[in-house]
Amino acid sequence: SPVTAQFSSQTLDFGTLRTCDTVTMPLWLHNTSCDSIQVESIVPVVTRFLIIAPAMGSWIQPGDSVAVLVRVIGADGPTTASGLITARLSNGSTEDLFRFTASATVIASQPSLTLSSSVISEDSLTPCAATTKQFALHISGYCRPLVIDSVAFSGLGSVTVVTPSLPFALQSDSTL
């Protein structure tokens, strides 16, 4: 008997993501035949898309469905990715190909670093006296943590960073 199956949709649109993003979405594969079918392979034409599930060689019973999990990984710089993904299905005696299209638009992240104060100063300080100043550092839009391994001071005297201990990794979209 022939292999009959259908995807829940002929397109899987990831929409717009940032260069740092990794997104996974499901598309359902429904076995509409009277026989069990085996997932021989699911292959994307565009390497930006990865198939996470189902496992190759897994079986889908008649009338049952399985989630095809597709992952897209953001790119370096803006790009548009679109392409066919082909599933080769078999019932042991017959095989057939089933296709859907996946697409995504990747936009460049806009990294930003913000200090709560651009100047940290003390009007006057007696010799050998100490003072404590605090400021906040906020980063966003970075794909990797920002590592702060040293602090430079310009002027008379010296500066000691009390907390956090250096080096310190600040994750994107967080504040120190």
Side-chain angles (χ1 to χ4, degrees):
S1 66
V3 174
T4 58
Q6 68 183 65
F7 286 105
S8 56
S9 175
Q10 292 302 302
T11 59
L12 187 60
D13 184 4
F14 286 88
T16 301
L17 15 141
R18 296 181 316 158
T19 52
C20 308
D21 294 341
T22 298
V23 178
T24 303
M25 290 179 62
L27 189 69
W28 292 91
L29 175 59
H30 182 69
N31 179 358
T32 58
S33 66
C34 297
D35 298 320
S36 296
I37 57 174
Q38 186 175 30
V39 178
E40 297 288 337
S41 65
I42 302 178
V43 181
V45 172
V46 177
T47 57
R48 174 98 34 234
F49 300 105
L50 303 171
I51 306 303
I52 305 304
M56 298 311 114
S58 60
W59 288 88
I60 307 170
Q61 300 304 313
D64 204 0
S65 296
V66 62
V68 176
L69 297 180
V70 182
R71 180 171 292 160
V72 64
I73 299 171
D76 293 332
T79 188
T80 299
S82 181
L84 282 176
I85 296 180
T86 303
R88 186 166 52 98
L89 307 176
S90 168
N91 64 11
S93 60
T94 306
E95 71 176 39
D96 206 346
L97 302 176
F98 299 85
R99 295 177 175 88
F100 66 93
T101 302
S103 62
T105 300
V106 180
I107 59 171
S109 295
Q110 297 299 320
S112 69
L113 177 90
T114 308
L115 280 172
S116 59
S117 175
S118 60
V119 177
I120 301 171
S121 66
E122 186 69 42
D123 288 337
S124 64
L125 197 60
T126 59
C128 301
T131 186
T132 301
K133 296 289 183 178
Q134 295 182 2
F135 65 95
L137 177 65
H138 178 80
I139 68 166
S140 64
Y142 286 83
C143 294
R144 294 174 194 81
L146 177 66
V147 177
I148 302 168
D149 56 9
S150 65
V151 174
F153 174 70
S154 162
L156 301 173
S158 64
V159 169
T160 302
V161 176
V162 178
T163 185
S165 58
L166 300 178
F168 181 82
L170 187 59
Q171 302 298 323
S172 189
D173 299 318
S174 62
T175 301
L176 167 66

